[in-house]
Amino acid sequence: VPSLEQAEAVLRTVQEALTNAARHGHADNLYLHMHRSADELRLDIRDDGRGAGGELRFGNGLKGMRERLQAMGGGIEAKGGEGRGVQISAWLPLAPIGGEA
């Protein structure tokens, strides 16, 4: 990523997803796919935990992820259902690769 601030946002997003999967979802596995295009970094994260017993609430962890990413023009979507784990899609706009305009 082009900046330390963006790298920290990515790190904290993955760190919080790991924490939530272990602490709240009791997941055995967490799957992370990162994809960078010329202008965006996308994170797709899912776990195999117990999921949310109803609608997934944006508590402190998810709220912090959203605020951190939105401050840099990105965003996050999260969903989870009973017994289906949690799926998180996050994105962050980036400067073009190689500094090209």
Side-chain angles (χ1 to χ4, degrees):
V1 293
S3 76
L4 182 58
E5 183 180 42
Q6 290 172 325
E8 184 174 0
V10 171
L11 172 67
R12 298 291 179 225
T13 298
V14 174
Q15 181 180 38
E16 187 63 36
L18 285 165
T19 299
N20 286 347
R23 183 180 296 158
H24 303 298
H26 303 285
D28 291 321
N29 299 287
L30 182 128
Y31 305 93
L32 168 66
H33 180 258
M34 294 176 62
H35 174 76
R36 181 180 174 158
S37 64
D39 60 354
E40 180 180 71
L41 179 68
R42 183 165 280 285
L43 304 171
D44 293 308
I45 305 167
R46 68 178 175 85
D47 68 53
D48 63 359
R50 63 182 181 197
E55 187 175 331
L56 186 63
R57 292 181 303 126
F58 266 70
N60 290 334
L62 286 171
K63 184 178 174 188
M65 282 190 237
R66 179 173 53 198
E67 289 171 354
R68 189 174 289 115
L69 293 166
Q70 285 179 342
M72 288 179 273
I76 187 169
E77 294 176 354
K79 61 183 176 178
E82 188 70 41
R84 294 188 318 214
V86 171
Q87 295 178 326
I88 296 172
S89 295
W91 58 94
L92 183 63
L94 301 173
I97 296 173
E100 301 167 1

